[in-house]
Amino acid sequence: MNYDQSNQRDTLFERLSGCFLGGPKLDNLPGGRTEALRKLHTYDPSSYSRTRNYTNGAVSQLSPYLRHGMLSLIEVRDHLRSKFSNDPSHLEEFLRQLAWRDFFEKVLTWNGHALDEDLEEPKHSVSRSNRIPLDVLSGDTGLPCIDGMLSDLFDQGYLHNHARLWFAAYLCHFRGVRWQEGAGLFRQHLYDGDIASNSASWQWVEGTFASKPYFMNKDNIANFSSGKWCNSCKVKCPFDADYPKLQHRLFAGSTAPFVSKVADKAAVTNNTQPASHDIPEDIAPLPPNTDLIWVHDAAISWVDECVAQNPNAAVAFVFNKPALQAEPWAYHRLAFVADGIDDLFKNLPNSTKLTLVGDPVERLTTLAHKLGATTIHISEHPNPWVIETAEQLRMKFRVIIHPRLVLAEYPLEPKRFSRYWEKVAIQVLGHRPNPPKRKFK
Ligand SMILES: Cc1cc2nc3c(=O)[nH]c(=O)nc-3n(C[C@H](O)[C@H](O)[C@H](O)COP(=O)(O)OP(=O)(O)OC[C@H]3O[C@@H](n4cnc5c(N)ncnc54)[C@H](O)[C@@H]3O)c2cc1C
């Protein structure tokens, strides 16, 4: 008997007890490759370069799908290049932004776990705390702009790039918190919460992966948010100064006091459930020479080589319970991934498809033994936990890593985007780039 275990949402979240914050919402972003393709095919980037820095600009919101491998950078680029082949200049800025994602993945590939710590010496000597103040965690700082950003983060799971920069600068420089704490908060709540783009961007703001720290003033927020918070704001604004004054205030003085991290906005669910038994006891061994595919959370796509080439293998996705217990995700993030798995399983011909919850090495080992599988297929990814899981499985099984196509080949150490872009722009764009006009990354 083989299994096509449908991903029953209530049962799944019972098994994920202790792994998430908050609960279901009506307006969750739907996950999955089907939805990703719909979004890609309806996206029009023609006003992107003119508007992208404005919080109401024509951005794509494709990042959650890219983060989870429901779309690849290459297929986004190729689709847009063929759709807008008559006017490639419209696309240039969009493709340059896609390349930031590729660049940060290369930073992760190069640095691995070292990306969790400062990549470079800080460019200032102001001390940092490892606690996020409670007013920030509860979205109640009294600053309409910051509270608005926090509400978008907690409720929508999405922030425009400029809002991410502002919030990161606020937390690091105006509240004196270590960038790692903010990066953790983003990973928990953003649909696209990531290691590479997230940690590297926080370091870019802090100045440990850039030549200087990034910060903004009120004019910048008012301009690029089209006054949505500032026009009616009555509070004393900590950002209302020119850049030299702010620079002096932020980096020549001391940081604001902080209170301890006692609670998050949404309570973490309790963890009193017994261990889950998600591998059916009577699961039948596979016919000889049948393999197992481990689908991890950055490769949820039926065109991923790993699954596309193995229609007879058993397929398993594992929610990494120990990792989620250590850093619970917002419910909407897990629901988005669960949607993606449902959609993937619907579109795969493979007859054995399971969603497991637990320690990935233990769950996959148990499953492979039950199935009698001796080979495990994994899609290549720079996330250290994917690499480490593959290494541990390799001690017991034959592991085949399926290479991941990258947007650009760049064999050098990825230190600065400008240097990387000089070398890869032709590969990404298919032509020489126009001279840059940029102010922001
Ligand atoms: C502090 C901070 C934290 C961030 N954390 C994450 C994260 O966890 N996950 C994540 O995917 N992105 C992160 N970003 C990068 C960027 O903000 C988002 O990728 C982008 O806002 C996603 O929205 P979009 O899809 O509408 O982007 P668009 O503007 O439509 O861009 C298209 C795609 O290009 C890529 N891209 C665009 N801008 C950037 C950028 N600055 N850096 C890297 N890739 C980019 C993304 O894949 C994006 O989907 C972070 C940025 C900052 C400043």
Side-chain angles (χ1 to χ4, degrees):
M1 192 198 315
N2 276 328
Y3 291 86
D4 183 350
Q5 188 199 47
S6 66
N7 190 350
Q8 298 286 340
R9 206 49 66 90
D10 290 349
T11 330
L12 175 66
F13 277 90
E14 271 169 32
R15 287 150 69 201
L16 283 168
S17 169
C19 296
F20 59 91
L21 306 166
K25 282 186 282 199
L26 289 177
D27 56 352
N28 275 352
L29 182 71
R33 180 169 167 77
T34 304
E35 178 62 17
L37 289 172
R38 193 195 62 74
K39 260 193 137 70
L40 173 61
H41 292 151
T42 51
Y43 179 58
D44 177 359
S46 31
S47 61
Y48 183 79
S49 67
R50 189 168 40 81
T51 64
R52 74 174 185 90
N53 278 319
Y54 292 86
T55 52
N56 57 2
V59 294
S60 67
Q61 304 207 2
L62 288 175
S63 53
Y65 303 95
L66 288 163
R67 152 67 178 90
H68 289 291
M70 296 163 189
L71 284 178
S72 73
L73 288 174
I74 292 187
E75 67 181 323
V76 172
R77 179 201 59 190
D78 290 350
H79 170 78
L80 293 176
R81 267 177 36 180
S82 71
K83 191 166 169 189
F84 296 92
S85 56
N86 293 339
D87 190 2
S89 63
H90 262 143
L91 269 188
E92 191 166 320
E93 188 54 31
F94 187 83
L95 297 181
R96 200 175 73 87
Q97 292 305 312
L98 275 189
W100 270 100
R101 181 175 204 95
D102 180 67
F103 172 71
F104 286 146
E105 284 181 4
K106 288 176 167 52
V107 172
L108 178 61
T109 305
W110 193 278
N111 292 285
H113 279 301
L115 183 55
D116 300 339
E117 299 302 328
D118 293 354
L119 288 176
E120 298 169 15
E121 287 297 311
K123 312 297 182 299
H124 60 79
S125 55
V126 182
S127 65
R128 294 289 185 238
S129 120
N130 58 6
R131 304 282 162 99
I132 300 183
L134 187 55
D135 61 308
V136 176
L137 290 175
S138 54
D140 191 20
T141 65
L143 299 173
C145 54
I146 298 298
D147 291 346
M149 293 171 211
L150 283 165
S151 151
D152 287 348
L153 175 66
F154 295 140
D155 298 337
Q156 310 298 321
Y158 177 81
L159 280 179
H160 182 277
N161 183 58
H162 228 143
R164 296 181 198 212
L165 288 165
W166 295 329
F167 177 75
Y170 169 73
L171 195 68
C172 293
H173 307 315
F174 291 82
R175 302 301 299 267
V177 176
R178 273 176 9 124
W179 66 262
Q180 287 93 335
E181 312 307 324
L185 191 69
F186 271 17
R187 276 195 305 272
Q188 290 184 289
H189 292 276
L190 287 174
Y191 280 111
D192 63 23
D194 190 15
I195 299 179
S197 292
N198 188 43
S199 293
S201 295
W202 277 86
Q203 298 221 41
W204 191 87
V205 170
E206 176 56 292
T208 52
F209 188 50
S211 53
K212 54 181 194 289
Y214 165 89
F215 59 96
M216 71 295 175
N217 67 7
K218 180 181 173 183
D219 290 348
N220 183 274
I221 297 179
N223 180 26
F224 289 105
S225 64
S226 310
K228 91 169 161 176
W229 298 299
C230 303
N231 286 354
S232 55
C233 181
K234 304 252 182 317
V235 303
K236 185 169 160 34
C237 177
F239 315 121
D240 191 7
D242 61 25
Y243 281 107
K245 272 204 193 100
L246 278 179
Q247 164 120 16
H248 180 76
R249 195 185 300 161
L250 295 174
F251 302 109
S254 66
T255 56
F258 58 89
V259 296
S260 66
K261 180 177 181 174
V262 292
D264 202 333
K265 186 177 187 224
V268 179
T269 55
N270 69 20
N271 184 28
T272 53
Q273 300 289 319
S276 58
H277 301 287
D278 44 16
I279 302 173
E281 284 301 326
D282 58 346
I283 194 161
L286 296 170
N289 301 323
T290 310
D291 297 347
L292 173 62
I293 299 168
W294 172 41
V295 172
H296 56 71
D297 76 357
I300 307 177
S301 162
W302 56 87
V303 295
D304 190 90
E305 181 188 294
C306 193
V307 283
Q309 287 187 353
N310 292 292
N312 298 317
V315 184
F317 179 87
V318 190
F319 282 96
N320 186 340
K321 193 161 190 177
L324 287 166
Q325 283 171 331
E327 185 177 275
W329 283 7
Y331 182 99
H332 59 246
R333 276 213 76 181
L334 289 177
F336 181 86
V337 171
D339 284 352
I341 301 303
D342 282 347
D343 191 39
L344 173 69
F345 284 5
K346 256 187 241 148
N347 284 282
L348 286 182
N350 310 50
S351 53
T352 302
K353 295 171 274 201
L354 295 161
T355 304
L356 311 178
V357 175
D359 172 67
V361 175
E362 185 280 319
R363 293 284 73 193
L364 291 165
T365 302
T366 305
L367 177 63
H369 285 152
K370 281 210 172 249
L371 293 167
T374 54
T375 299
I376 301 184
H377 297 262
I378 302 173
S379 185
E380 182 187 31
H381 199 272
N383 277 357
W385 82 275
V386 172
I387 295 171
E388 285 155 16
T389 303
E391 276 164 10
Q392 290 182 52
L393 290 170
R394 205 189 287 282
M395 291 181 209
K396 304 169 191 165
F397 304 97
R398 176 170 168 251
V399 168
I400 298 179
I401 305 288
H402 292 260
R404 191 158 173 266
L405 296 177
V406 291
L407 191 65
E409 295 297 339
Y410 185 74
L412 308 175
E413 180 175 1
K415 279 246 179 206
R416 291 288 181 264
F417 180 81
S418 52
R419 169 69 65 88
Y420 154 91
W421 185 239
E422 258 171 39
K423 299 261 185 262
V424 307
I426 293 186
Q427 287 179 59
V428 176
L429 301 174
H431 59 84
R432 244 172 231 297
N434 291 319
K437 288 184 258 171
R438 76 196 164 91
K439 256 182 155 177
F440 301 96
K441 75 184 185 114

